[in-house]
């Protein structure tokens, strides 16, 4: 990957791609990957490099993935998700990623030359929860999400159909799902937001994305032939990259 920097900032693994002009001031884009393909920070950087932007693009590794897998590796992560996907995976991953971001951002502002410009956030699927939560909380200039989890509860329904299981909802897990309902919380998303969804993705993703688009009056790009994943190098990944690049080029200035 050309001009990629890999490291750890405030305990968070990351891959960073340099701006078009490394000697000039640059915006900073922070993103979080999917748990499906591209399922780690390096793969997300390869799939959606957003080349040509005058911005540092920083791809963070999600908690419980990659170098931060729980003891027992992928099998243990799968066990945790099978036991309670909401309380064992979605909630702690999102909460930790949001909580650790300010310190990681501050460190990267110091470490990456010229990274003094405005902040943008982006994410895919599980990573979109982090981006949307930060959009609701932080001083963000613009955001973009792909295969978005605009509502968590329907995505749990998707997993039920996908894995032929029944999720045991409890008051606690329903409270978490209610919190991660960004259609209900649309009023908190005040910065410009781009939504990108696959035409062949599950209705649990497509319908909430459309509902959020209607609430915000924002842009929704539908990628023909794409389901939920977009592995690096595929036409689907290139379409996502083009949409993100054009969006941030218009919305984010160094």
């Amino acid at each position: 990957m050309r001009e990629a920097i890999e490291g750890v900032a405030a305990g968070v693994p990351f891959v960073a791609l340099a701006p078009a002009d490394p000697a000039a001031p640059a915006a900073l884009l922070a993103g979080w990957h999917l748990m499906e393909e591209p399922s780690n920070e390096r793969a997300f950087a390869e799939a959606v490099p957003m080349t040509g932007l005058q911005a540092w693009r920083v791809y963070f590794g999600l908690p419980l993935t990659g170098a931060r897998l729980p003891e027992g590796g992928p099998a243990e992560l799968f066990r945790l998700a099978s036991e309670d996907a909401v309380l064992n995976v979605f909630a702690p991953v999102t909460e930790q990623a949001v909580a650790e971001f300010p310190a990681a951002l501050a460190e990267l502002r110091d470490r990456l030359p010229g990274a003094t410009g405005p902040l943008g956030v982006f994410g895919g699927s599980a990573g979109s929860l982090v981006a949307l939560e930060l959009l609701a909380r932080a001083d963000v200039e613009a955001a973009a999400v792909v295969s978005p989890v605009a509502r968590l509860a329907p995505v749990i329904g998707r997993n039920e159909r996908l894995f032929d299981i029944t999720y045991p909802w409890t008051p606690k897990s329903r409270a978490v799902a209610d919190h991660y309902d960004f259609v209900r919380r649309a009023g908190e998303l005040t910065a410009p937001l781009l939504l990108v969804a696959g035409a062949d993705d599950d209705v649990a993703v497509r319908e909430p994305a459309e509902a959020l688009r209607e609430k915000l009056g924002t842009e929704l790009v539908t990628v023909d032939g794409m389901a939920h994943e977009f592995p690096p190098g595929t036409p689907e990944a290139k379409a996502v990259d083009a949409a993100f690049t054009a969006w941030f080029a218009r919305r984010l200035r160094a």
Side-chain angles (χ1 to χ4, degrees):
M1 209 168 7
R2 188 170 175 261
E3 296 186 39
I5 297 171
E6 297 189 52
V8 177
V12 186
F14 72 88
V15 170
L17 301 180
D21 182 357
L28 193 150
L29 287 170
W32 294 264
H33 57 83
L34 296 72
M35 287 191 175
E36 299 167 64
E37 288 295 329
S39 60
N40 58 60
E41 59 272 24
R42 185 176 181 84
F44 201 18
E46 290 174 354
V48 189
M50 293 181 274
T51 304
L53 291 179
Q54 187 52 29
W56 281 98
R57 288 91 68 215
V58 179
Y59 306 77
F60 288 110
L62 286 172
L64 294 182
T65 72
R68 298 195 285 175
L69 276 167
E71 187 175 348
E76 175 61 10
L77 179 60
F78 184 78
R79 187 195 69 77
L80 289 169
S82 300
E83 186 178 89
D84 195 317
V86 173
L87 299 182
N88 289 348
V89 179
F90 283 107
V93 164
T94 307
E95 289 164 8
Q96 182 178 335
V98 169
E100 67 193 11
F101 176 64
L105 174 65
E107 185 173 321
L108 288 170
R109 290 280 198 194
D110 288 337
R111 286 171 58 180
L112 300 177
T116 57
L119 173 67
V121 295
F122 62 98
S125 191
S128 74
L129 286 170
V130 183
L132 291 169
E133 187 66 23
L134 286 168
L135 182 58
R137 296 190 195 185
D139 184 11
V140 173
E141 190 81 7
V145 290
V146 57
S147 302
V149 182
R151 277 182 167 143
L152 179 55
V155 170
I156 299 303
R158 168 188 179 255
N159 290 347
E160 288 181 308
R161 295 189 297 276
L162 193 61
F163 299 110
D164 192 24
I165 59 172
T166 299
Y167 177 73
W169 287 102
T170 64
K172 187 174 182 181
S173 60
R174 288 197 180 279
V176 170
D178 185 55
H179 178 76
Y180 294 118
D181 181 346
F182 292 100
V183 177
R184 179 186 64 82
R185 296 172 60 195
E188 300 175 41
L189 309 179
T190 56
L193 171 65
L194 172 69
L195 300 160
V196 180
D200 298 336
D201 205 345
D202 193 273
V203 66
V205 174
R206 289 184 290 104
E207 286 191 354
E210 176 59 32
L212 186 55
R213 183 204 66 78
E214 291 180 3
K215 279 253 190 168
L216 295 175
T218 192
E219 185 176 342
L220 170 61
V221 172
T222 300
V223 178
D224 289 337
M226 187 174 100
H228 200 70
E229 302 181 326
F230 47 97
T234 61
E236 294 78 20
K238 291 175 182 177
V240 174
D241 181 51
F244 274 29
T245 304
W247 174 259
F248 284 119
R250 296 198 308 268
R251 297 290 184 177
L252 208 59
R253 304 294 180 187

